[in-house]
C-alpha cells in the first residue's frame, strides 16, 4: 500500500441496558490525486432490539476490548454518506 492509505476513525458508546451507538468515518486517499474519499456511518440500536435479534450480552462480551468490532454488524444503520474532499 505504498501509493495510497486507508484509515478508520470509530466512536463507540455502550450504555448498559439502554443503547449501543457507533460513528465510523473511513478515509481513502491515492497519492498524486487531489482528493480524499470519506465515508461516514451512524449505527444505533437499543439493547432490547439487539436482544430480540438474538445478540447475547455475556460477561465475556462486556469485558472484551474488541466489543465494537464484535457488535458492529448487528447494530442498525441509521445514516451513511460518502463524499470527496478536495484539497
Amino acid at each position: 500500500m505504498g501509493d495510497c492509505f486507508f484509515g478508520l476513525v470509530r466512536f463507540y458508546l455502550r450504555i448498559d441496558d439502554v443503547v449501543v451507538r457507533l460513528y465510523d468515518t473511513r478515509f481513502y486517499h491515492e497519492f498524486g490525486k487531489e482528493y480524499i474519499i470519506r465515508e461516514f456511518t451512524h449505527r444505533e440500536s437499543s439493547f432490547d432490539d439487539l436482544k430480540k435479534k438474538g445478540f447475547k450480552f455475556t460477561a465475556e462480551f462486556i469485558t472484551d476490548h474488541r466489543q465494537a468490532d464484535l457488535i458492529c454488524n448487528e447494530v442498525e444503520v441509521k445514516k451513511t454518506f460518502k463524499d470527496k474532499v478536495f484539497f
Side-chain angles (χ1 to χ4, degrees):
M1 244 179 138
D3 57 349
C4 63
F5 71 84
F6 177 79
L8 169 65
V9 179
R10 173 172 280 167
F11 170 77
Y12 171 69
L13 173 72
R14 185 192 85 226
I15 302 175
D16 289 342
D17 298 322
V18 180
V19 71
V20 173
R21 183 176 299 152
L22 290 107
Y23 293 109
D24 287 345
T25 304
R26 290 174 169 81
F27 298 96
Y28 176 77
H29 174 65
E30 290 182 40
F31 297 117
K33 304 245 172 132
E34 296 182 354
Y35 62 85
I36 293 175
I37 297 174
R38 176 177 59 180
E39 178 185 76
F40 171 81
T41 305
H42 167 211
R43 297 174 184 262
E44 186 172 328
S45 290
S46 70
F47 262 57
D48 290 338
D49 289 344
L50 291 167
K51 286 177 184 177
K52 286 177 190 172
K53 286 176 148 181
F55 192 83
K56 305 273 190 260
F57 290 95
T58 63
E60 291 80 18
F61 170 79
I62 298 299
T63 59
D64 193 328
H65 69 282
R66 301 168 299 135
Q67 62 182 260
D69 297 328
L70 298 173
I71 200 169
C72 162
N73 292 327
E74 304 296 326
V75 180
E76 180 183 350
V77 174
K78 297 291 187 177
K79 181 179 183 180
T80 187
F81 69 85
K82 293 179 188 175
D83 62 351
K84 271 186 184 179
V85 180
F86 290 90
F87 52 89

